[in-house]
Amino acid sequence: MATLSDITVSASINSLFAFLFLVAFAILRLQPMNDRVYFPKWYLKGIRENPSTSGPLVKHYVNLDVRMYLRLLNWIPAALKMPQLELIEHAGLDSAVYIRIYLLGLKIFVPIALLAFAVLLPVNYTGGSFSIMSLKMKDLTFGEIDKFSISNVPPASKRLAAHIIMAYVFTFWTCYILYKEYKIVTDMRLNFLASQKRRPDQFTVIVRNVPSDADESVSEHVEHFFRVNHPGQYLTHKVVYNANKLAKMVDKKKDLHNRLIYYTNKYERRPNKRPTTKTGFWGLWGKKIDAINYYTEEIDKLGKEEVAERERVIGDPEAVVPAAFVSFRSRWGAAVCAQTQQTRNPTRWLTDWAPEPRDVYWSNLAIPFVELNVRKLVMAVALFGLIFSFMIPITIVQTLANIESIEKVLPFLKPIVDKGSTKSFIQGFLPGMVLKIFLLVLPMILMEMSKIEGYVALSDLEAKSAAKFYFFLLVNVFLGSIVTGTALQQLKEFLNKSASEIPKTVGVSVPMKATFFITYIMVDGWAGIAAEVLRLFPLIMYHLKNIFLVKTDKDRDEAMDPGSLLWPITEPRLQLYFLLGLVYSTVTPILLPFIIIFFAFAYLIFRHQIINVYHQKYESAASFWPDVNRRILIGLIISQLSLLGLLSTKQAANSTPVLLVLPVLTFAFHKLCKNRFESAFRKFPLQDAMVKDTLERATEPQLNLKEYLKDAYTHPVFKGGEVELMDIDEVVDECHVVATKRSSRRSSLKGSQAGTSDGCPEDRTGIYAV
Amino acid sequence: MATLSDITVSASINSLFAFLFLVAFAILRLQPMNDRVYFPKWYLKGIRENPSTSGPLVKHYVNLDVRMYLRLLNWIPAALKMPQLELIEHAGLDSAVYIRIYLLGLKIFVPIALLAFAVLLPVNYTGGSFSIMSLKMKDLTFGEIDKFSISNVPPASKRLAAHIIMAYVFTFWTCYILYKEYKIVTDMRLNFLASQKRRPDQFTVIVRNVPSDADESVSEHVEHFFRVNHPGQYLTHKVVYNANKLAKMVDKKKDLHNRLIYYTNKYERRPNKRPTTKTGFWGLWGKKIDAINYYTEEIDKLGKEEVAERERVIGDPEAVVPAAFVSFRSRWGAAVCAQTQQTRNPTRWLTDWAPEPRDVYWSNLAIPFVELNVRKLVMAVALFGLIFSFMIPITIVQTLANIESIEKVLPFLKPIVDKGSTKSFIQGFLPGMVLKIFLLVLPMILMEMSKIEGYVALSDLEAKSAAKFYFFLLVNVFLGSIVTGTALQQLKEFLNKSASEIPKTVGVSVPMKATFFITYIMVDGWAGIAAEVLRLFPLIMYHLKNIFLVKTDKDRDEAMDPGSLLWPITEPRLQLYFLLGLVYSTVTPILLPFIIIFFAFAYLIFRHQIINVYHQKYESAASFWPDVNRRILIGLIISQLSLLGLLSTKQAANSTPVLLVLPVLTFAFHKLCKNRFESAFRKFPLQDAMVKDTLERATEPQLNLKEYLKDAYTHPVFKGGEVELMDIDEVVDECHVVATKRSSRRSSLKGSQAGTSDGCPEDRTGIYAV
């Protein structure tokens, strides 16, 4: 397949892209007009203000200070300077621990790479080269890169012992580093939790599947149950309303608002012409009407419907779902209730820690237990289908990657394709790019699937989406690239193979796919990460909003989109690099430097981003770490099995039992980690609860906890409601007196937006489009 | 390999054995002298008394009533008559649920067998017969039985669709029955727990890994910790002493006691000659001395040492291990403490339900958490080694099973072996028998391994031994028989195969091994179960004890060994039948009737045994059911994978994806069962605890719980201690006045034995020798 020169071309292209992105970033970030795109976190914290308004107007938009441009790279030391404790304080524990994953990659792979280069490269290179040819796959072509890989070692060679020993060394090293890191993260989490202030979720438990009772309402039933079964501890509770329809109305009104503002601004700029719109879909067809009047009426109508719906929800006992947030007098009481089983039927009165209020996904609170199980099963099947039907487009991409196949299928393309540079471009850049685009659509689908599964916290939804995405990447990007790529070349042979031969096939194909994955690392890792720092999409969106919707500084604050870490996308992708690194560490160690560059570069970029840009929606106190640890161990086991498969085809069957020990040990290590650390991420110990309770009772004996908890778990649509209803009228009035009272209007508009966007989860789905 | 006539011979031999055992049982059980061997449970319950002493002496020993012999089989309806509720009352829930496993086997396999005989047998038989010959294994011989198996269907035949459809039907049927049964057992357990009387373990929690404190003793530390963290609920606690040395002394003294009684009895019978013994090992060599004097002195000496040790243990703070039994004021308090995490370090202050006092395994309470993990890892590796080195003897057995191999290796044996009857005997009976003897030694080793792993309850120890034994049977009896048997025949080819080919190899070998497993079922299942009811070993032991140690009725009660279900041996063995039934249901359905006969026969026998014989040491309220359910599902998945492997060699590769769905669905079903039912077996719901507490407070307001719990969790060696010390002197006195005071002496001896055997766990290891 690809030769060394192909890789060189690919590396050049991707390095060039990465460099261009970085230069663009370095220049754009210095422009005052982009300040809110590249430093939104500081604005949100109130530390950064707009650039001073003195001086010529142009200075507001463009930086003319030449000296600044000479220090293009000074953001790098700035990103690395902030010490860890300050970083946790500034960006939250989630972000601070997240970037440690990149550091973890460096800690694992730098020593492994050094050892592999010192030992395995010489062993492979001097191994002779007749190798795989003996395996009846003579039509496959191998490039120079294979001289450095295990493919160069002849079958049944004594040299293979070196690879087995290294597999042991790498496994032990990886586990050692993982254990140390798990310990550090656990301590960070516990210290973080201990230092936290009072929060409603410390006292609150979420109860689901409250059984229906003929004589009592849900609210009464909940109160009686907990008064009886947690005597002395029960304080109060909050029933949950099914306000999904209302939330949709609020969303729709927000959208209509934006349109109204857009047309109002338009009219303001050209007061001689009333703007018009059409009644059809997206204003594209239908009757032409006056836009401002139309939207004003629509908002008015929707406003009335909303009031009616709001009253219906609050008044109708049918709108109460069989779930509640139950609060206790102490953290101890909540800890007890969250960790125990309430009744003999484990499908009823399910208690768990309440997510923090910002983290609640309200729409899912109404789903009954049996339905939950059915939903999970259906989604499991759907996920299975999705993952395995996704193979088809990936297969097409892989066909593109193989120039020879194209030439065979479409011989008339040969003159074009054969040109050296085109060939290298197609082989080096296209396959990675197409794959990347596929992967952009997917997380949204997976998030929707997780929502259907019925998790009630955003953090859970994200964790489950991440698990799905990881599974997807594992099957389609890793296994799919390896198996399908070969399959297309020898389709007929392959169809007759049974399922049990796959490990062997994977093992054999792994060294052949090294160049593909090197390309992938460069496109997805290098250029992709550089694109992340450039923030092209938020940059464009910000300026568009600035032109059409923004007038005051407050509006400008609204237009900022700091984004967040996008855990369900970035973490699984990141895991792919661990997987690739571990799999190729013994097979084709030449891939390791590419991975190390990725980890180092990404660490730098993401450290910069979490300091200056990202604004996390919630704080889970690094509750994702058990997932991270487990997935790296899955990668380790896959690497061991693929080496096993590879060696069994190298007439080294005696090595099989020796290598089979490794996955067993790795699994034992996983169990050890789970026993030792995981409970710190799942449970809340009674002693800590008691200490905090006692301390609080001593320092704030007068605290009215009931009052403090009163509105914590109220559905967001019931919180900002009244403010909004007033707003509409004000906006409507103003449309007729455009030239005057500018400032008062903006502030009231602001109020309405804040009311709906404040914690309402529906608009989080949008983040994946970024 | 074996032909139909071999199987007929084997069936005849084993049926004959089973029949002989049953006849022997039917006759022996009618003899009054054996009454305590065959009906010990009724004696323990105090319902059955010794046969009346009127009439001639011979009637005490032999039943001369001819009419009784005419109704030899009347124990069968008697065993089936007792209704379930009475059975639970009489034998405990564990036993009542245990025999339901056999019933479950019938419920699963009778419909499957009917369907398989109706559909698969005709499909196979009319399939043509060139089959496996095409698979390059022409030297293997197949018998007539293969005409009814899937081997008779030619590769790539459309007929294989019938097997795939049946695999689906069987899977759904099995899951349906399992779900129903899980629900029934769960209800039985909950009702049983709800109806239980007050027991110490309802109020008590076991705490392990109490951290050491420089200023406080363990006892103070425990008290302070729970007073602070469970205010209002903590009642009292009991520290645990490391009394392992003391327990050994008590055991040794008991042994010396028995010898003393033996010699006293001897002297009594022949008062003119003082019995002598030798000082060396087991009295076999060394100086000849007066036995009664010698053992009296030894007991005296040991008695003094014991007193000193007893004082040392109670006085020495070093003898207190960092564990305690903590009791609470209410069941609610205990339920809360058992289900929650106490401190942020999950390796300290580990709380869990206390086992019931009889169920505690005292020696393991002192092991620290880190050591526990190391022990578990070491034992996992040891188990792995044990299981895979056990392959070697099994391989030898399998060689025996193959007459042709013997003839090849040892041609001079040919004339002997070739005789029809010898051949059939060797093939039909020997291999199963040798395997059986191997398996008798193993459970003791596995029990010791579980003890080393450090579980603190006998029920846990048994559950873990069962898990190990199941794993062993799976690898060695099932996989070992299948793979090694073939391996010996084609050793050279096999060594070059890789690990990933094993599923395929298993699939191919499964139909070839049908006759071996039919033989195994007859030896282990039919004859083995019949031997169980005969109780040959307890019968002999009882009469030996009767001759040498027993004088009074009370002594005779002591000499009874009712035995128990031996969960860690019987359950995994039983699972093997489920596994075989499921694997062969689609492949060689002719095996199913043998399994159905086993289940029906075993149900009958074990129902009889739990009613009349077994005396369970503790009651776990069917807490083993999740294991039973899980293992049957493992068997189901193995059956699906082996069918997959088999079909993939039949050029039916298209079926692979269709069949791959089954294990996924089965695993989903396992998850569903776990979510829906398992918590009823692991946790104790707060509502139930509160109901019982409230009821008790209303009915017994004056209850002094602290007094009730005072001695519940005292180490057994501290309980009967004083009584024993007095006994010795009495026995010694009596030796000198042999002819008089007969009755008073016996009763005091009885006291001493009861004192040591009462709940002391060490003597449970002995049960495996039975």
Side-chain angles (χ1 to χ4, degrees), chain A residues 187 190-191 194 225 228-231 233 332 335-337 339-347 349 369 373 377 381 384 495-501 503-504 644 648-649 653-654 656 660-661 664-665 668-669 672 675-680 683-688 690-691, chain B residues 187 190-191 194 225 228-231 233 332 335-337 339-347 349 369 373 377 381 384 495-501 503-504 644 648-649 653-654 656 660-661 664-665 668-669 672 675-680 683-688 690-691:
Chain A
D187 288 344
L190 289 172
N191 290 331
F225 183 86
V228 168
N229 292 306
H230 292 270
Q233 287 296 337
W332 188 91
V336 162
C337 184
Q339 292 178 53
T340 50
Q341 183 173 344
Q342 307 305 311
T343 64
R344 50 162 69 186
N345 186 338
T347 66
W349 294 105
F369 183 83
N373 274 322
L377 187 66
V381 174
F384 193 81
L495 266 181
N496 293 322
K497 278 187 189 168
S498 77
S500 61
E501 297 231 321
K504 212 159 131 184
L644 184 79
S648 72
T649 63
N654 301 334
T656 299
L660 260 182
V661 174
V664 174
L665 284 181
F669 175 74
L672 173 75
N675 285 339
R676 176 67 185 80
F677 299 117
E678 197 169 314
S679 75
K683 292 181 170 179
F684 191 54
L686 295 188
Q687 192 182 30
D688 291 21
M690 191 53 90
V691 167
Chain B
D187 287 344
L190 290 172
N191 290 331
F225 183 86
V228 169
N229 291 307
H230 292 270
Q233 288 295 337
W332 189 89
V336 162
C337 184
Q339 293 179 52
T340 49
Q341 184 173 345
Q342 307 305 312
T343 63
R344 50 162 69 185
N345 185 338
T347 65
W349 295 104
F369 183 83
N373 273 321
L377 187 67
V381 174
F384 194 81
L495 266 181
N496 293 323
K497 278 186 186 167
S498 76
S500 62
E501 297 231 323
K504 213 159 130 185
L644 184 79
S648 73
T649 64
N654 300 335
T656 300
L660 260 182
V661 174
V664 174
L665 283 182
F669 175 74
L672 172 74
N675 286 339
R676 177 65 186 80
F677 298 117
E678 197 169 314
S679 75
K683 291 182 171 178
F684 191 55
L686 295 188
Q687 192 182 31
D688 291 21
M690 189 55 89
V691 167

Side-chain angles (χ1 to χ4, degrees), chain B residues 645-704:
Chain B
L646 177 61
L647 289 190
S648 73
T649 64
K650 287 232 169 219
Q651 291 160 41
N654 300 335
S655 67
T656 300
V658 182
L659 281 173
L660 260 182
V661 174
L662 279 181
V664 174
L665 283 182
T666 309
F667 187 73
F669 175 74
H670 163 66
K671 282 297 218 188
L672 172 74
C673 285
K674 212 176 150 81
N675 286 339
R676 177 65 186 80
F677 298 117
E678 197 169 314
S679 75
F681 292 82
R682 303 276 175 262
K683 291 182 171 178
F684 191 55
L686 295 188
Q687 192 182 31
D688 291 21
M690 189 55 89
V691 167
K692 287 204 110 172
D693 285 341
T694 313
L695 204 70
E696 193 175 76
R697 225 169 283 139
T699 53
E700 294 177 77
Q702 301 302 322
L703 173 73
N704 186 343

Side-chain angles (χ1 to χ4, degrees), chain B residues 123-140:
Chain B
V123 168
N124 291 338
Y125 194 70
T126 59
S129 60
F130 61 104
S131 74
I132 309 257
M133 302 302 159
S134 59
L135 283 169
K136 283 199 286 183
M137 296 181 186
K138 278 169 199 146
D139 4 22
L140 295 175

Side-chain angles (χ1 to χ4, degrees), chain A residues 293 569 721 731 768:
Chain A
N293 289 345
I569 305 176
V731 176
Y768 298 110

Side-chain angles (χ1 to χ4, degrees), chain A residues 565-584:
Chain A
L565 267 177
L566 297 191
W567 167 258
I569 305 176
T570 45
E571 197 269 347
R573 257 194 225 157
L574 179 48
Q575 286 291 345
L576 196 62
Y577 294 95
F578 278 101
L579 175 66
L580 291 176
L582 291 168
V583 166
Y584 282 99

